[in-house]
Amino acid sequence: MLKQPASKYAAFQPVGLKDRTWPDAVIRKAPVWLSTDLRDGNQALIEPMDVERKLRMFRQLVKIGFKEIEVGFPSASQIEFEFVRRLIEENLIPEDVTIQVLTQAREPLIRRTFEALQGARSAIVHLYNATAPVMRRVVLGMDEDAIVALATDNARLFKQLAAEQPGTRWTFQYSPEMFSGTELAFSKRVVDAVTEVWAPTPEHKCIVNLPSTVEHSTPNIFADMIEWMHRHLARRDAIVLSVHPHNDRGTGTAAGEFALMAGADRLEGCLFGNGERTGNLDIVNVALNLYTQGVSPGLDFSDIDEIRRTVEHCNQLPVHPRHPYVGDLVYTSFSGSHQDAIKKAFAARQDNDVWNMPYLPIDPKDLGRSYEAVIRVNSQSGKGGIAYLLETEYGLELPRRLQIEFSQVVQAVMDTEGKELVARDLWQLFEREYGLASAAPAHVSTTEQADGQVRVAADLDWNGRVMPVQGQGNGPIDAFVSALNAATGRHVRVLDYHEHAIGAGAQAQAMAYMELRVDGQHTVFGVGRDTNIVSASFKAIVSGLRRAAPQAQSASIEHAAS
C-alpha cells in the first residue's frame, strides 16, 4: 500500500447541497421494490442459473411479494431469452406481477428484447448506456452530445417497438449507467432528453433509475446527489425515481436508505445482497430495517430460512453466518453478560409489550426462527445463558445459586474441551453431574405418628451397597435427612428448597432442587426428579450428599457398615 495514497486516488467531491433536507426525513412507507436477482444477481454468479433454478428463484420472489421482478437480459443469451418466453407462454406470471428486462442502447439488442416480450400482459423495458467521463473518454470515445443522441435515438426505438405490440402495457425505464461517477448536470441533461422522448404522464409514469454502479463516495454524498436530481429533473411528477446501489464501500444499505430519505421512490437490489463485485443492495436488509421501525415493507420474510435455502441453491453461494437477519449466528449471544440480560428481559416481557429486548433488534419468531439459537454456550458464556437453554429446551427453572454452581461445572468442561455446548450437551452434563440417572431410595414408606412427627424408612443404594435407613422428623424431608445422618455418619442440613413441575397431566414430573450444608463445610446442590414430589425431594437430598466431598463417602459407608 502507498504511504501517500492521494498520489494515486482522488477524493470524491461533495455536491455542496447546503439546504439539503434528507437528514431530517423519516421513512414512513415502503418503497417500490425491484428484485434483480434473476438479472444483475445472476450475471454475477460463477455459474449462472439454468432455467430450472431461475424458475425456482422466480417463484420464491413471487411468494415473498415482489410485484416488479427483473427476470433477465434476453438479448444476452439463448437461455435468458428462453426463460422470458417460458414465463410468458406458460402463463407463470401472476396478474399483479410485472416482469422487467434489461437491454443496452443498441438496436439489434433492443429488437431482440421486444421479441422476447411478445404476448406479455405488462412489462418494464430497461434501457441503459454509460454516461460517466471515464466511459465517454476511454471506452466509448464519445462526447456528451453523442451520448445524449445515443440515449434518445434508442428511446425513440423503444416507443416504435412498443407501439407494434399494443396488447402489452409497457413501462419504460432508463439508467444513466455509472450515475455515481457522472457529473450531475450531465446526468440531468441525458435523463431529461430521454423523458422528453417518452413523454410520460403522472398517470403513466416512466422509471428513471440512478445507479451507484460503483460506490465511490460516502452514502451522505450519494444522498445529496439523489436529492439534487429529485429537485431538478424535468417531468418529476411523471417519473418513478429509482436507485440501484452497489456495495463497493460496504455502505450499500445506508446509501439505499439515505436515497429514500432524499426523494427516491423505488429500490433495486437482490436477496441478501448478491451481485457484481461486493454485491447489490440487500433488499432483505432494508426491508427488515423498515420492519423494526414499525413500517410494513410489503414483503414477507416470515420463513427466512427457507428463503435462504432457495437463494443458496439457486446462486450456489453460501449466506454468511453473520449476515444481517438471516445468518445462522445473528440472533445468538455467547457472552455471559449478554445472555443474562436477554434471559431477564424475556422473563419480564409481557405478550403485548413493544419489542425492546437487549441485543435482539427483531423478534426471531417473526422470521420463523425459534429461540433455540438465541443463546449458545462457549467459554465466554455465563450462568444466564446456561440457565436459559436448560429452561427453554428442558423446562428446568434453576435457582440462582444453582445456576452459579452449575456454570462452574460447565466452565471446567469448556476450559478442557474448548468447544461450543448446545442445549443437549448441557442437559447431558446436568444429568451426569447431579446423578439424575442414579438409583433412587427404594421401598420408601412414610408414616405420620400420633405426635405429628413423620417417620421415614427406605433402602438406599449407597456407593454400590444397599442399606436400610430410617428416621423421624417434623416432616418427610426432615425425617429423611435424620435417617441419612444416622446411617452415613454425615451431617446434612437443608438450607433452601425449590420445586416445580415439568409437563402436565399423567406425564408430569416434579423437579426438586435442594441446597445442602454437609458436615458443616460443603455447600452443594442436589437435584431430584420423580412423578411424586416427596420422592423427588428425597432424590435431591441423596444427589447433594453424593456430590459433597465424594472422597469422604467411602469412609462413611465403611464406618456405617462396621
Side-chain angles (χ1 to χ4, degrees), residues 69-186:
I69 301 172
E70 192 166 50
V71 295
F73 199 148
S75 63
S77 72
Q78 190 62 27
I79 288 178
E80 295 281 287
F81 186 92
E82 289 175 358
F83 177 66
V84 176
R85 294 308 310 153
R86 183 168 177 180
L87 290 177
I88 296 169
E89 292 170 2
E90 297 184 13
N91 198 29
L92 299 176
I93 307 166
E95 289 190 8
D96 62 346
V97 172
T98 299
I99 60 170
Q100 176 172 308
V101 294
L102 178 75
T103 179
Q104 289 173 292
R106 293 171 56 191
E107 181 174 346
L109 303 184
I110 293 172
R111 291 186 179 278
R112 179 69 167 165
T113 299
F114 275 87
E115 180 186 348
L117 291 169
Q118 288 181 356
R121 184 185 306 107
S122 64
I124 302 169
V125 194
H126 181 185
L127 174 70
Y128 78 94
N129 62 281
T131 57
V134 66
M135 298 295 286
R136 300 194 307 255
R137 183 180 68 255
V138 176
V139 178
L140 301 175
M142 300 172 72
D143 62 14
E144 291 184 6
D145 291 343
I147 292 293
V148 172
L150 175 68
T152 53
D153 287 349
N154 287 286
R156 292 186 189 92
L157 182 58
F158 264 44
K159 290 190 69 174
Q160 173 192 325
L161 295 176
E164 294 172 4
Q165 298 184 48
T168 298
R169 178 175 173 82
W170 298 102
T171 300
F172 299 152
Q173 174 170 326
Y174 176 68
S175 290
E177 190 197 13
M178 295 189 71
F179 164 78
S180 51
T182 302
E183 311 94 320
L184 285 174
F186 183 60

Side-chain angles (χ1 to χ4, degrees), residues 402 405-406 409 430 432-435 462 490 514 518 522-527 540-551 553:
L402 176 53
E405 180 187 272
F406 184 56
V409 175
F430 188 83
R432 184 168 67 248
E433 177 66 23
Y434 293 96
W462 189 257
R490 311 291 293 277
M514 292 283 184
V518 180
H522 306 294
T523 300
V524 296
F525 270 90
V527 180
I541 295 168
V542 173
S543 165
L545 185 57
R546 284 182 172 135
R547 295 183 64 245
Q551 70 278 5
Q553 292 179 12

